[in-house]
Amino acid sequence: INWEIIFIKKYSHSHSMDKSITLPPDEIFRNLENAKRFAIDIGGSLTKLAYYSTVQHKVAKVRSFDHTAKVINTSISCELYEISVQEEITARLHFIKFENAYIETCLDFIKDHLVNTETKVIKATGGGAHKFKDLIEKKLGLKVDKEDEMTCLIKGCNFVLKNIPHEAFVYAKHADSEFRFQNTHPDIFPYLLVNIGSGVSIVKVESEDKFERIGGSSIGGGTFWGLGALLTKTKRFDELLQLASKGQHTSVDMLVKDIYGGSYGSLGLTGDLIASSFGKSATADKDFSKEDMAKSLLHMISNDIGQLACLYAKLHNLSRVYFGGFFIRGHPVTMHTITYSINFFTKGEVQALFLRHEGYLGAIGAFLKGAEEDNPNQYSWGENYAGSSGLMSVSPDINPMQRARSGTFDMLEMDRLERQLVNLPLLQDASSYIPDTVDLTEDALAREYWLSCFEEALDGVVKRAVASQPDIPEAAERAEKFRQKYRHKLQTLRHQPFAYGSLTVRSLLDTREHCLNEFNFPDPYSKIKQRENDVALKYYQKAVKSLEELSWEERQFALVRVELTAGPFCEQLERPWLVDAYDQWIERLKGPPHKCALFFVDNSGMDIILGVMPFVRELLCRGTEVVLASNSGPALNDVTNGELQILTERIAAMDPVIQSGLKEDRLTLVQSGSSSPCLDLSRLDKVLAMVVRERQTDLVIIEGMGRAIHTNYYAMLTCESLKMAVIKNSWLADRLGGKLFSVVFKYEDPTRKPSKDTVALTPS
Amino acid sequence: MAYNGHQREDEASDDGETPTKQLRSVKEMPGYLRNDTENEAATPGGSATSDRPTSNSTARHRMDSGKKSRPPFPWFGMDIGGTLVKLVYFEPKDITAEEEQEEVENLKSIRRYLTSNIAYGKTGIRDVHLELQDLTMCGRTGNLHFIRFPTHDLPAFLQMGRNKHFSSLHTTLCATGGGAYKFESDFRTMADLQLHKLDELDCLIRGVLYIDSVVSSGPSECYYFENPTDPERCVQRPYTLENPYPLLLVNIGSGVSILAVYSENNYKRVTGTSLGGGTFLGLCCLLTGCSTFEEALEMASQGESTRVDKLVRDIYGGDYERFGLPGWAVASSFGNMMFKEKRESVSKEDLARATLVTITNNIGSITRMCALNEKIERVVFVGNFLRVNTLSMKLLAYAMDYWSKGQLKALFLRHEGYFGAVGALLELLNPS
């Protein structure tokens, strides 16, 4: 969200117009009262401010009752566990970008709202840091500590590449979606950063601390701006780009066909190539339009930078080249010409990559320099969708919602994650793993459906949120704020589906969770989950007993069926299923037991207790160790690690198989590290990864729509995998060519041929 | 000529359009004096220092043996570039009385016209100082003349050819450069001339190697600048192109082509850039209102680019030590022109100078990267951008030396822009 600033023009004593702005404090400089460690990056036209704050969050905690004690109050004793809402303090990074014109107002605002007096220093970088040094020191009473620009830039770049999935993208003007987001490669190094400011710096980055400026060029953004201003009498950079986007360079440039009459065949140079930039303006006594000259200039400079970048990339044998600097900064025109140039000179071997948060790199880096004692790099951080503006296209024809850039504040917030996140060691190729099955950025039909779907569901979510806090009178008001925030996010995503990287069902769900958290609805489903768990637990023994009575073959089928339908009460689902690898699975079960199964669980209640647990029990009986992975934090009605701990204890008390499994360490509970209804196997708790490795896991079971269909349907693992889900969404079922409640049972063994029952989830 | 980063609006289908590298072999090298089996100096690729047999006796001795394969006069080589047409003309000086009698009037008239004038029409110029005298080509001795005129005056040239009944001489006109293709039909329709079209890069290399090998007296063909980083002590010195390979050949015409030459018949076009002589002149015309290359150069020589460019010291107050950037280095070409007050305070001369420095440094920069990528330490700069342009040559010499810490040597050739035309002439005399 770009918050428009309301201008209040007032006459100052000096009779001059004085611009002043009122800032909506809830929205822009959030958590300023808890802020510490400031950093500022002042560029030619934009200022980027960074600070660290602690955020108080309400979190729902579950605590087991002491069941050994005699509890007299029966209304409590019927509940499994107690839910309490606690305050938790988490760390957050705030980054705000605004025009230099507002710097004074912003500094005043910060001064008025800053409570923390321990802060003594502000880290500063960027060309303008020097200019505003005195102002900052005077206004904030902080000592300005200058940091090297390039060092900050690289530090910031490393940070976003490591912590923000879909940070980098390829720009494709003519594609359905102009942004093609890149997977985060597990190892981000080495790479080349081409920073196009007024000049060009080409930096080779080899590790967190090792980088080198290997070259540069004086022909950069300043050349476009300066020469452009001379040629066209147009003063502003943005206006020059506007001119360029309307021009025809062929009237100014000498093309190959102007010299050859056609192509230069023997070298394979087509007639449309530019042989000499501005070559026609030397020979003809005629006037050239501003637009045409600007376009020619843009091509000349973009081609030149692209060519040099390629020469350096080749010399240093690097294939990842990121472009940044004010010349690039979200401008479709320059991203297009640079991309074109890179494709041309490398014949597609090197791709020009751009960054969503390119404008923040310097501020992030300067901040990190100042926060070294907090070791920010040893944590994983996550982009908070609720508090971040997301990527804006500055092209008016691409984004009709786009307002004038002036007077807008852009924000990025990153939350420190409690757990350090790593790849699942069992991924076949971590660098090409894409969690999401359908990219809604590229699939307009699916996007339309899901955006509407989430919009329609919003009322229900709001109701649920209010209901989850019956004793708190202002809950309704907060829930309403949540509604507005999330609705606005959905509207933004309708126009800018690329705002937070590729738009996916997962990102829509996660954004909703972030917004709920933002308004202190940490776990709207806690009570429901509690009740359902309670009920399901009562049926556990009966369910296990009835399964025990079946023959082996019958039992295996019943286990799958029960697992899929979340309880024994659903009607039996007829085979063949939509995706049906059941026969292969049974064949496999007749063989030797697996060493260890990693089971990603889904919902609370019947699903976990009557579906998953009997399945786990059977695996344990076969001699397979089981690692149960559940969410670290709440998401919808998914069972959390905290809840699962209690449930497992209770089941263990009833079931000697589970009991001994726990005791002998053959049944282990781990956190996934996630608070999402979906599953990103490239961002999992480090401990989980360690356990998986130690136990020599050779089977991964993923259940539920969120984890096995919306995500990971195509995930390729190095070991056997089982993906099970019932399609509980008629649109999706329809797209898959099945009916509502169709079953997907996908069993894969990488050592064998893939089963032919795979259904394509993406339209061809 | 350069072909580089083209842009067009619908480029959906033009992936991988331009190979920046393509191994090509020059057909057979010009066998200058190849028909002279007694001549030791006929080693291909010729060392520049070996004495060329230019005495009349040698030539006459060979005349009969060469006669059969020798094309009829007049001997021309032509290179029609984007901006200039370069013409080389061999004027035989060993014409016997008998020959003279046989000679048709048209031929005499052409010879007289070309050799007795140094300017033709409004724009044609003969570079007298480049004339090579007493040269033996194909068994004949004579003088090689170097003539140029703007490509846009080609119609006038064709008209002249028509008036002088050039076509009646039944000569083959060997031509290279893009114009050989573009204007082929004009030659046919306007002057009744059939062009023999030749590849410009083949001709360029052939021409360079030939001229370097035949110039033995007078100013050295190849030269460099001694002490390029010290303006006080920077002087031009002759250079002997012995064992020239591998060399990077940078041809700066309207645009720039960069070739890696590994032997006389093995070269590839490494890359090119569209920022060349045409860009310098084009931008200068727009920025200063000048109209000729000479005018633009004159302005540049009087200007100061540091008022236009933003230097490292303008940003950092001095050197940017962290990255070893000296304060005097240009951080942003035309960077000061972002600001209104500075735009208003610069002169046309300053703008011309800044344009020259920008284009020249950029060529230096790309050349240096190519040299590193190709692992070549010797760079020869040619092309008409360097004509009467000592400023650029010294700048290139400086840039090569400074940024490579003395590893790279910038070399220049006196006949700058005429090698393509010479190559075309050689093709006429010794068809490959």
Side-chain angles (χ1 to χ4, degrees):
Chain A
I1 305 162
N2 278 269
W3 298 102
E4 293 243 7
I5 303 306
I6 309 137
F7 280 90
I8 303 167
K9 289 176 180 163
K10 61 178 182 189
Y11 289 97
S12 71
H13 299 297
S14 60
H15 303 290
S16 65
M17 284 284 264
D18 184 21
K19 279 193 280 183
S20 118
I21 49 173
T22 52
L23 303 172
D26 296 348
E27 287 146 1
I28 290 180
F29 294 102
R30 305 203 310 160
N31 298 311
L32 210 48
E33 59 281 0
N34 300 318
K36 57 172 191 172
R37 295 198 200 293
F38 282 83
I40 197 163
D41 173 13
I42 308 176
S45 54
L46 292 174
T47 296
K48 283 77 70 175
L49 185 82
Y51 58 90
Y52 168 98
S53 78
T54 47
V55 186
Q56 280 208 327
H57 264 305
K58 294 219 187 323
V59 287
K61 292 274 180 193
V62 290
R63 196 167 62 91
S64 183
F65 286 114
D66 187 354
H67 286 274
T68 55
K70 290 281 171 212
V71 180
I72 294 151
N73 189 333
T74 46
S75 73
I76 291 173
S77 69
C78 75
E79 288 171 356
L80 279 171
Y81 50 82
E82 160 185 52
I83 305 164
S84 63
V85 173
Q86 295 171 12
E87 293 284 338
E88 196 179 65
I89 292 179
T90 55
R92 181 174 287 175
L93 301 182
H94 301 256
F95 303 97
I96 304 111
K97 185 161 70 182
F98 50 86
E99 285 188 41
N100 287 356
Y102 308 137
I103 201 163
E104 199 162 344
T105 313
C106 289
L107 290 175
D108 282 334
F109 183 87
I110 293 165
K111 183 189 158 66
D112 293 346
H113 291 78
L114 194 60
V115 179
N116 189 323
T117 49
E118 284 164 43
T119 308
K120 299 270 183 279
V121 187
I122 180 166
K123 290 281 179 189
T125 187
H130 187 72
K131 195 172 146 194
F132 290 99
K133 181 172 182 283
D134 291 344
L135 184 74
I136 297 166
E137 294 196 334
K138 196 183 84 193
K139 293 270 180 193
L140 297 185
L142 299 176
K143 186 177 161 289
V144 170
D145 198 355
K146 260 210 92 176
E147 288 292 337
D148 176 71
E149 214 173 326
M150 197 61 75
T151 310
C152 292
L153 205 60
I154 302 300
K155 263 194 175 306
C157 193
N158 292 341
F159 187 79
V160 294
L161 285 175
K162 268 190 311 196
N163 287 292
I164 307 187
H166 286 179
E167 176 60 30
F169 60 88
V170 166
Y171 185 78
K173 190 182 175 186
H174 300 289
D176 270 352
S177 67
E178 46 183 332
F179 305 96
R180 281 215 319 278
F181 293 96
Q182 304 295 295
N183 262 342
T184 314
H185 200 276
D187 187 8
I188 62 168
F189 305 108
Y191 66 85
L192 205 61
L193 179 67
V194 181
N195 193 54
I196 315 174
S198 53
V200 181
S201 280
I202 300 176
V203 186
K204 176 186 179 183
V205 186
E206 284 175 281
S207 70
E208 194 59 57
D209 302 303
K210 193 175 174 210
F211 69 89
E212 187 192 353
R213 184 187 188 276
I214 53 172
S217 167
S218 68
I219 298 184
T223 315
F224 178 70
W225 193 344
L227 200 44
L230 287 169
L231 291 172
T232 67
K233 315 280 180 249
T234 302
K235 287 168 204 153
R236 291 192 46 209
F237 180 74
D238 292 17
E239 287 171 33
L240 278 166
L241 283 180
Q242 277 287 311
L243 281 182
S245 64
K246 288 181 255 165
Q248 284 293 329
H249 74 105
T250 51
S251 60
V252 183
D253 290 340
M254 189 184 281
L255 308 185
V256 167
K257 66 179 170 211
D258 293 320
I259 299 172
Y260 271 81
S263 64
Y264 182 178
S266 64
L267 279 184
L269 303 170
T270 62
D272 290 317
L273 294 181
I274 302 171
S276 175
S277 295
F278 286 90
K280 277 185 194 156
S281 65
T283 50
D285 289 328
K286 59 173 185 182
D287 288 331
F288 297 91
S289 79
K290 289 178 179 185
E291 287 82 0
D292 293 352
M293 287 188 290
K295 177 75 162 231
S296 173
L297 187 61
L298 178 68
H299 282 335
M300 175 180 110
I301 288 167
S302 300
N303 285 336
D304 194 54
I305 294 169
Q307 179 171 30
L308 275 171
C310 293
L311 286 166
Y312 279 102
K314 189 185 167 204
L315 189 65
H316 293 265
N317 199 21
L318 298 169
S319 58
R320 269 173 286 177
V321 185
Y322 300 99
F323 287 85
F326 82 72
F327 185 70
I328 297 294
R329 205 142 300 162
H331 298 295
V333 188
T334 54
M335 288 196 288
H336 173 65
T337 51
I338 287 285
T339 299
Y340 191 83
S341 173
I342 295 291
N343 285 341
F344 175 83
F345 284 108
T346 67
K347 285 173 246 157
E349 278 172 32
V350 173
Q351 280 192 317
L353 297 167
F354 305 96
L355 301 170
R356 274 203 289 144
H357 299 100
E358 187 275 319
Y360 285 112
L361 302 186
I364 294 173
F367 172 81
L368 293 173
K369 281 292 276 184
E372 267 161 3
E373 60 192 75
D374 286 344
N375 274 327
N377 267 328
Q378 86 178 18
Y379 297 98
S380 289
W381 298 79
E383 182 178 10
N384 184 324
Y385 296 142
S388 301
S389 313
L391 184 68
M392 291 278 270
S393 170
V394 293
S395 164
D397 45 302
I398 285 165
N399 176 18
M401 286 245 297
Q402 176 68 39
R403 305 160 208 163
R405 277 184 117 198
S406 60
T408 61
F409 277 49
D410 187 272
M411 289 177 295
L412 165 65
E413 289 185 3
M414 298 200 57
D415 287 331
R416 193 174 80 194
L417 306 177
E418 294 309 304
R419 327 282 300 184
Q420 217 179 332
L421 305 182
V422 296
N423 277 311
L424 178 68
L426 300 170
L427 281 175
Q428 257 185 31
D429 177 14
S431 62
S432 69
Y433 164 73
I434 300 168
D436 306 287
T437 307
V438 181
D439 183 348
L440 302 180
T441 333
E442 295 189 344
D443 186 337
L445 275 176
R447 177 168 72 238
E448 188 46 45
Y449 170 75
W450 286 111
L451 282 170
S452 304
C453 184
F454 275 84
E455 229 158 58
E456 282 160 23
L458 191 50
D459 278 343
V461 177
V462 169
K463 266 188 206 136
R464 175 98 61 206
V466 177
S468 72
Q469 299 178 351
D471 309 326
I472 307 172
E474 44 81 49
E477 196 185 317
R478 267 188 291 121
E480 201 48 47
K481 282 186 180 166
F482 154 75
R483 182 209 299 276
Q484 282 171 20
K485 181 117 190 172
Y486 189 56
R487 180 176 287 155
H488 190 211
K489 288 279 167 200
L490 290 175
Q491 279 165 0
T492 307
L493 288 167
R494 221 175 252 283
H495 295 286
Q496 296 154 233
F498 46 79
Y500 301 101
S502 289
L503 184 67
T504 59
V505 174
R506 177 168 63 107
S507 73
L508 285 168
L509 284 164
D510 288 355
T511 306
R512 193 166 72 187
E513 296 298 324
H514 290 180
C515 290
L516 279 167
N517 272 327
E518 207 53 42
F519 293 98
N520 276 322
F521 293 106
D523 192 357
Y525 282 84
S526 57
K527 293 263 164 51
I528 296 166
K529 288 189 286 182
Q530 186 190 35
R531 204 161 47 239
E532 287 180 358
N533 286 334
D534 200 26
V535 171
L537 213 50
K538 293 196 169 84
Y539 289 93
Y540 178 77
Q541 277 172 308
K542 197 179 155 198
V544 168
K545 190 161 174 281
S546 63
L547 284 164
E548 294 276 80
E549 286 162 1
L550 299 171
S551 70
W552 185 85
E553 293 246 4
E554 285 171 337
R555 188 166 68 248
Q556 300 315 311
F557 185 71
L559 280 169
V560 168
R561 202 195 66 217
V562 163
E563 160 38 58
L564 282 165
T565 55
F569 313 109
C570 284
E571 57 195 88
Q572 190 173 333
L573 295 162
E574 291 298 324
R575 286 184 64 203
W577 295 320
L578 186 57
V579 176
D580 193 338
Y582 182 72
D583 293 342
Q584 288 96 313
W585 171 244
I586 285 302
E587 275 313 300
R588 173 61 190 88
L589 285 185
K590 286 175 184 163
H594 295 90
K595 169 78 180 63
C596 173
L598 169 64
F599 203 139
F600 287 99
V601 301
D602 187 23
N603 297 341
S604 288
M606 289 196 292
D607 181 21
I608 181 76
I609 294 165
L610 304 178
V612 174
M613 279 305 183
F615 206 105
V616 168
R617 190 178 190 278
E618 182 76 15
L619 286 168
L620 288 169
C621 291
R622 274 172 62 80
T624 301
E625 291 173 28
V626 179
V627 176
L628 276 180
S630 52
N631 268 7
S632 301
L636 297 177
N637 63 337
D638 290 357
V639 64
T640 64
N641 187 252
E643 291 157 354
L644 190 55
Q645 300 264 0
I646 296 168
L647 295 179
T648 313
E649 273 170 36
R650 292 299 306 275
I651 290 168
M654 299 185 272
D655 185 344
V657 176
I658 300 294
Q659 177 86 49
S660 65
L662 286 173
K663 216 176 251 170
E664 293 157 21
D665 214 16
R666 292 191 299 114
L667 173 60
T668 315
L669 305 187
V670 294
Q671 309 190 26
S672 66
S674 157
S675 306
S676 165
C678 294
L679 179 63
D680 179 352
L681 296 177
S682 66
R683 277 166 80 83
L684 290 175
D685 193 306
K686 206 173 178 179
V687 175
L688 183 153
M690 199 187 71
V691 171
V692 159
R693 218 178 273 120
E694 276 174 3
R695 302 280 162 103
Q696 297 166 352
T697 304
D698 54 357
L699 173 66
V700 173
I701 303 170
I702 307 177
E703 62 140 349
M705 283 235 307
R707 292 175 182 78
I709 304 286
H710 290 315
T711 54
N712 299 306
Y713 186 71
Y714 295 119
M716 305 286 277
L717 301 176
T718 53
C719 67
E720 290 170 56
S721 64
L722 194 53
K723 296 164 190 167
M724 297 183 273
V726 176
I727 312 292
K728 295 173 198 156
N729 171 292
S730 53
W731 182 87
L732 190 61
D734 196 43
R735 174 169 267 204
L736 293 174
K739 291 190 202 115
L740 190 61
F741 301 125
S742 292
V743 170
V744 169
F745 187 90
K746 199 177 180 189
Y747 166 68
E748 285 161 304
D749 179 351
T751 59
R752 289 190 212 177
K753 273 182 136 179
S755 95
K756 56 182 182 294
D757 301 312
T758 307
V759 175
L761 287 179
T762 37
S764 50
Chain B
M1 295 268 319
Y3 315 96
N4 164 12
H6 94 296
Q7 296 280 354
R8 10 178 250 239
E9 285 313 297
D10 60 330
E11 65 287 320
S13 65
D14 41 29
D15 280 353
E17 201 158 39
T18 295
T20 42
K21 282 190 158 187
Q22 203 170 61
L23 262 170
R24 290 142 45 88
S25 62
V26 173
K27 290 130 209 165
E28 205 185 331
M29 269 315 287
Y32 36 82
L33 310 176
R34 185 150 296 171
N35 45 4
D36 179 10
T37 47
E38 297 154 25
N39 193 331
E40 288 171 21
T43 46
S47 62
T49 50
S50 59
D51 287 330
R52 288 288 155 196
T54 50
S55 74
N56 283 349
S57 62
T58 319
R60 217 159 270 144
H61 172 76
R62 238 190 351 243
M63 263 177 74
D64 289 335
S65 59
K67 195 166 185 176
K68 271 174 222 152
S69 58
R70 209 155 47 207
F73 288 123
W75 293 352
F76 282 111
M78 203 173 194
D79 176 5
I80 311 169
T83 312
L84 286 175
V85 178
K86 282 77 65 175
L87 189 68
V88 295
Y89 168 65
F90 181 83
E91 172 205 4
K93 297 293 266 186
D94 55 357
I95 297 173
T96 58
E98 181 190 356
E99 232 181 331
E100 180 127 25
Q101 275 184 346
E102 286 173 17
E103 199 175 33
V104 294
E105 197 48 43
N106 280 344
L107 192 57
K108 281 198 188 96
S109 141
I110 287 168
R111 189 167 72 232
R112 270 200 303 275
Y113 176 69
L114 290 176
T115 56
S116 60
N117 291 307
I118 57 165
Y120 316 93
K122 285 199 185 91
T123 52
I125 285 168
R126 180 153 64 88
D127 283 311
V128 183
H129 65 289
L130 293 180
E131 181 178 332
L132 293 177
Q133 294 181 343
D134 258 354
L135 192 68
T136 302
M137 294 190 92
C138 217
R140 299 299 300 257
T141 304
N143 299 340
L144 198 57
H145 298 278
F146 298 87
I147 298 161
R148 63 186 149 89
F149 59 89
T151 304
H152 60 74
D153 285 332
L154 192 69
F157 174 81
L158 292 178
Q159 192 57 46
M160 185 199 77
R162 186 193 182 98
N163 296 344
K164 293 194 181 295
H165 302 288
F166 199 93
S167 59
S168 66
L169 299 169
H170 303 294
T171 186
T172 312
L173 193 49
C174 283
T176 185
Y181 297 80
K182 186 181 179 186
F183 301 110
E184 187 185 14
S185 65
D186 292 341
F187 272 84
R188 202 170 46 240
T189 56
M190 290 175 69
D192 194 23
L193 284 170
Q194 195 65 42
L195 288 187
H196 180 44
K197 303 190 295 295
L198 298 163
D199 180 84
E200 63 174 289
L201 299 182
D202 290 343
C203 286
L204 174 69
I205 290 179
R206 207 169 167 179
V208 166
L209 295 174
Y210 174 78
I211 293 290
D212 180 65
S213 69
V214 295
V215 173
S216 56
S217 60
S220 167
E221 178 63 21
C222 185
Y223 59 96
Y224 70 103
F225 289 90
E226 200 175 68
N227 307 314
T229 53
D230 182 354
E232 302 288 307
R233 291 163 54 228
C234 178
V235 281
Q236 190 174 322
R237 293 270 187 239
Y239 186 86
T240 312
L241 252 191
E242 263 179 310
N243 307 318
Y245 310 112
L247 71 81
L248 210 59
L249 185 59
V250 182
N251 186 33
I252 318 175
S254 309
V256 184
S257 270
I258 300 179
L259 316 178
V261 187
Y262 298 102
S263 74
E264 54 177 304
N265 49 18
N266 178 15
Y267 77 89
K268 64 178 177 185
R269 181 177 187 275
V270 179
T271 190
T273 163
S274 70
L275 285 82
T279 315
F280 164 64
L281 185 54
L283 280 175
C284 269
C285 293
L286 293 172
L287 293 171
T288 71
C290 72
S291 55
T292 67
F293 182 65
E294 288 77 5
E295 232 181 302
L297 274 187
E298 177 57 26
M299 277 190 169
S301 70
Q302 289 163 20
E304 185 59 72
S305 63
T306 54
R307 284 198 276 265
V308 178
D309 294 339
K310 188 185 263 195
L311 307 187
V312 168
R313 66 164 179 256
D314 296 335
I315 301 172
Y316 296 98
D319 298 348
Y320 190 5
E321 280 161 22
R322 171 90 174 69
F323 296 118
L325 288 175
W328 52 258
V330 183
S332 173
S333 297
F334 286 84
N336 279 343
M337 297 297 93
M338 289 187 276
F339 313 107
K340 188 168 175 277
E341 6 19 298
K342 294 207 168 154
R343 278 200 296 275
E344 284 160 0
S345 72
V346 295
S347 67
K348 288 182 171 185
E349 286 76 13
D350 294 339
L351 292 173
R353 178 65 161 244
T355 310
L356 187 77
V357 170
T358 302
I359 300 298
T360 307
N361 276 339
N362 189 60
I363 293 168
S365 188
I366 290 171
T367 301
R368 196 173 63 83
M369 288 311 296
C370 290
L372 282 171
N373 271 323
E374 301 301 322
K375 299 178 180 66
I376 296 177
E377 292 183 353
R378 207 162 10 188
V379 184
V380 179
F381 291 95
V382 296
N384 267 322
F385 174 65
L386 300 175
R387 192 173 61 78
V388 294
N389 188 359
T390 316
L391 222 51
S392 286
M393 285 192 280
K394 284 190 175 175
L395 218 52
L396 285 170
Y398 185 118
M400 289 296 112
D401 187 88
Y402 183 87
W403 295 110
S404 74
K405 300 187 174 71
Q407 286 295 296
L408 288 174
K409 198 166 201 79
L411 303 171
F412 303 93
L413 299 176
R414 280 185 70 236
H415 286 85
E416 284 136 5
Y418 284 107
F419 300 108
V422 171
L425 173 64
L426 291 169
E427 178 64 27
L428 172 73
L429 306 183
N430 297 285
S432 49

